[in-house]
């Protein structure tokens, strides 16, 4: 994330543009800020880096809201968080406009290691799984928390970007069904087995 006041000002303007459903154009952004493109690039990096930061800044509150509304613990909590997060992405109009407007860039920034958005998402899901594992409410074995998180992120991506990947309609209901199938939430705790 950006720390200098100039970079934060540029980031906030870019984020506002993105939420409004418009394309972030570095030339137009520089003009709006009253600086040249060289200064803007020095502050925020290239367009992909700025887009990645904007995308992650929108993902964080979405994840936080999903955590607040989720079941208290275990596999049910993990399912609820991922279900709500995936559904919110599928339903966010500004996000859909970005995917429609720049599908190749969106997939590269959101689903590959070229951008750190996916890495941050995997890290957040890894922590979600690890918290449930440490509490004794969920056991990811035979996978590690990170391995399971990578699988769950790929499931989320498969349903969120289904239109771009396979030409199918993004479907939050099918996403939830798949999360439940993989995680098998139950009312039993691990100690009840």
């Amino acid at each position: 994330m950006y720390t200098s006041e100039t970079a934060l000002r540029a980031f906030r303007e870019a984020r506002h543009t993105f939420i409004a459903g418009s394309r972030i154009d570095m030339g137009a952004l520089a003009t709006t800020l009253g600086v040249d493109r060289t200064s803007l690039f020095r502050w925020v990096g290239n367009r992909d880096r700025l887009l990645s930061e904007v995308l992650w800044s929108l993902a964080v509150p979405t994840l936080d809201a999903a955590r607040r509304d989720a079941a208290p613990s275990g596999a049910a909590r993990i399912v609820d968080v991922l279900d709500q997060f995936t559904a919110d992405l599928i339903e966010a109009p500004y996000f859909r406009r970005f995917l429609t407007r720049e599908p190749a860039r969106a997939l590269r920034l959101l689903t590959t290691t070229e951008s750190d958005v996916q890495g941050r998402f995997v890290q957040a899901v890894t922590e979600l799984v690890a918290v449930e594992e440490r509490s004794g409410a969920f056991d990811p074995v035979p996978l590690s928390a990170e391995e399971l998180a990578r699988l769950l992120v790929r499931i989320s991506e498969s349903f969120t970007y289904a239109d771009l990947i396979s030409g199918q309609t993004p479907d939050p209901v099918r996403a939830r069904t798949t999360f439940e199938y993989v995680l098998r939430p139950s009312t039993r705790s691990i100690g009840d087995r």
Side-chain angles (χ1 to χ4, degrees), residues 41-60:
F41 278 82
R42 192 172 53 250
W43 296 345
V44 298
N46 65 24
R47 183 169 181 268
D48 283 354
R49 176 159 187 249
L50 180 58
L51 271 168
S52 294
E53 291 299 330
V54 167
L55 289 163
W56 187 247
S57 77
L58 295 167
V60 169

Side-chain angles (χ1 to χ4, degrees), residues 56-70 77 81 84-85 88 124:
W56 187 247
S57 77
L58 295 167
V60 169
T62 306
L63 275 168
D64 290 346
R67 284 186 197 105
R68 280 192 303 275
D69 296 338
R77 178 170 179 72
V81 170
Q84 188 61 52
F85 181 75
D88 287 349

Side-chain angles (χ1 to χ4, degrees), residues 3-144:
T3 55
S4 76
E5 186 53 42
T6 53
L8 285 171
R9 192 167 56 112
F11 164 77
R12 286 185 197 113
E13 185 63 34
R15 189 174 192 268
H16 175 75
T17 299
F18 187 88
I19 291 171
S22 299
R23 182 181 187 279
I24 296 173
D25 177 274
M26 298 300 273
L29 181 58
T31 300
T32 298
L33 297 169
V35 299
D36 58 42
R37 285 174 55 102
T38 304
S39 295
L40 179 61
F41 278 82
R42 192 172 53 250
W43 296 345
V44 298
N46 65 24
R47 183 169 181 268
D48 283 354
R49 176 159 187 249
L50 180 58
L51 271 168
S52 294
E53 291 299 330
V54 167
L55 289 163
W56 187 247
S57 77
L58 295 167
V60 169
T62 306
L63 275 168
D64 290 346
R67 284 186 197 105
R68 280 192 303 275
D69 296 338
S73 65
R77 178 170 179 72
I78 299 167
V79 167
D80 284 353
V81 170
L82 292 170
D83 168 50
Q84 188 61 52
F85 181 75
T86 301
D88 287 349
L89 283 182
I90 289 170
E91 295 165 7
Y94 59 83
F95 190 67
R96 284 283 128 206
R97 282 193 289 273
F98 171 60
L99 296 177
T100 302
R101 186 177 55 245
E102 300 182 65
R105 173 171 271 127
L107 285 177
R108 188 179 75 247
L109 293 179
L110 295 163
T111 66
T112 70
T113 56
E114 284 188 41
S115 166
D116 63 355
V117 175
Q118 186 192 60
R120 289 173 175 177
F121 187 25
V122 168
Q123 184 178 9
V125 176
T126 299
E127 183 57 24
L128 176 65
V129 172
V131 164
E132 296 310 308
E133 182 180 20
R134 286 190 300 269
S135 76
F138 178 75
D139 187 356
V141 171
L143 302 176
S144 69

